[in-house]
Amino acid sequence: MLESIHLINFKCFADEKIPLRPLTVLSGVNGMGKSTVLQSLLVLRQSIISNTIANEGALINGPLVSLGAADDVLHDNAQDEECIEIVIETDTGDKYAYSFQCVKSSNTLPNTDNRSQPNEINILSGTKFFYLTAERTGPRTSFPFTDYELGKYNPIGNSGEYSSYILSRNERKKIGTEKLKHKKQIILDLRAQVEAWMSELGQKIQIHTIEHPKMDMVGMEFSFVRDGLPSMNYR
């Protein structure tokens, strides 16, 4: 687990160390750096997976986040020759320090003194990293299959656009941990658990997915359970 993020000259942070816990909530008024903390992790992840981090440096515009040019990333009061640093510490005592130069108008942050950066942080480079933007995919008549290349960066899609496909492909698989089990649903299949949790928002529902492989799309419908009987399906 990540223990802390230390940001130096990264956007609104001149020098700030943010402690992290199993559940961390960032709150505050606009412009105070909540999104910047997340963006620091997204920049590292897309740079690691794109294989630019070790040699070329940080990829600041990519599949997970786009921050503009290098001078948009450098803190306002920093001098041009000062470095941008992101330091990650984990609960196992590991420390990963990334240091980048700011080259104006560039869409990358070159490594400081051509120093090779750490290329493997399991938490950031592995398959258990998920990210959702505040703007989610809204109601649709169909949803896309997971794009293989983009799926390497974020399996569910930045706006959750691949969640229907993931549910369709894994609906009969058991959930990974009983800590996520709904207390009123003894069946551990993914779909049964999702239905139980979604029913907390209103009426009891059932989910129906239909894959269309030739179009790389999946349709989703809902029915409501009233007095033990399902309603018609609604798109």
Side-chain angles (χ1 to χ4, degrees):
M1 190 190 90
L2 298 184
E3 191 79 10
S4 67
I5 305 171
H6 188 182
L7 302 177
I8 299 173
N9 292 325
F10 187 80
K11 296 190 70 177
C12 65
F13 293 114
D15 190 338
E16 192 72 35
K17 187 171 184 179
I18 301 101
L20 301 175
R21 297 296 179 264
L23 175 62
T24 300
V25 178
L26 304 175
S27 65
V29 299
N30 290 342
M32 296 302 293
K34 302 184 298 296
S35 297
T36 298
V37 174
L38 300 179
Q39 289 166 355
S40 68
L41 297 176
L42 298 175
V43 163
L44 290 182
R45 178 170 172 83
Q46 70 186 16
S47 303
I48 291 170
I49 294 179
S50 298
N51 293 316
T52 66
I53 195 81
N55 298 307
E56 295 98 315
L59 185 67
I60 54 178
N61 296 301
L64 291 177
V65 66
S66 294
L67 301 182
D71 31 322
D72 296 318
V73 180
L74 185 67
H75 181 65
D76 283 346
N77 294 328
Q79 301 300 314
D80 291 344
E81 67 275 9
E82 291 189 83
C83 297
I84 296 170
E85 297 183 44
I86 304 174
V87 182
I88 303 292
E89 294 185 61
T90 71
D91 57 353
T92 58
D94 294 319
K95 185 175 182 178
Y96 303 89
Y98 297 87
S99 181
F100 306 106
Q101 301 173 36
C102 176
V103 178
K104 285 193 172 183
S105 302
S106 173
N107 60 2
T108 61
L109 299 175
N111 294 335
T112 304
D113 299 326
N114 295 318
R115 186 180 69 188
S116 181
Q117 310 278 15
N119 195 37
E120 285 296 329
I121 305 179
N122 289 336
I123 297 171
L124 292 181
S125 59
T127 58
K128 294 184 178 181
F129 184 102
F130 302 95
Y131 167 66
L132 276 174
T133 66
E135 296 179 274
R136 310 294 172 81
T137 295
R140 301 285 189 275
T141 55
S142 60
F143 300 88
F145 281 18
T146 299
D147 180 278
Y148 175 74
E149 283 300 319
L150 295 180
K152 291 190 296 186
Y153 296 87
N154 190 13
I156 58 176
N158 294 353
S159 299
E161 62 269 28
Y162 303 140
S163 55
S164 299
Y165 174 72
I166 290 174
L167 177 60
S168 177
R169 282 296 166 102
N170 299 283
E171 61 180 359
R172 298 303 177 192
K173 292 183 180 179
K174 300 291 187 291
I175 58 174
T177 171
E178 288 205 19
K179 292 180 179 180
L180 297 177
K181 177 182 176 294
H182 192 282
K183 63 182 179 181
K184 295 181 181 179
Q185 177 57 271
I186 62 172
I187 300 173
L188 295 178
D189 290 0
L190 177 62
R191 194 183 84 176
Q193 289 296 317
V194 171
E195 289 174 342
W197 283 109
M198 288 189 68
S199 296
E200 292 284 345
L201 302 177
Q203 299 182 62
K204 185 176 181 181
I205 69 163
Q206 291 180 340
I207 301 172
H208 313 277
T209 57
I210 309 99
E211 289 190 17
H212 304 285
K214 291 185 178 181
M215 296 185 290
D216 291 338
M217 305 292 285
V218 56
M220 178 176 283
E221 297 179 347
F222 297 86
S223 59
F224 298 97
V225 181
R226 304 182 180 112
D227 299 322
L229 297 175
S231 69
M232 63 176 285
N233 288 2
Y234 297 93
R235 293 203 301 177

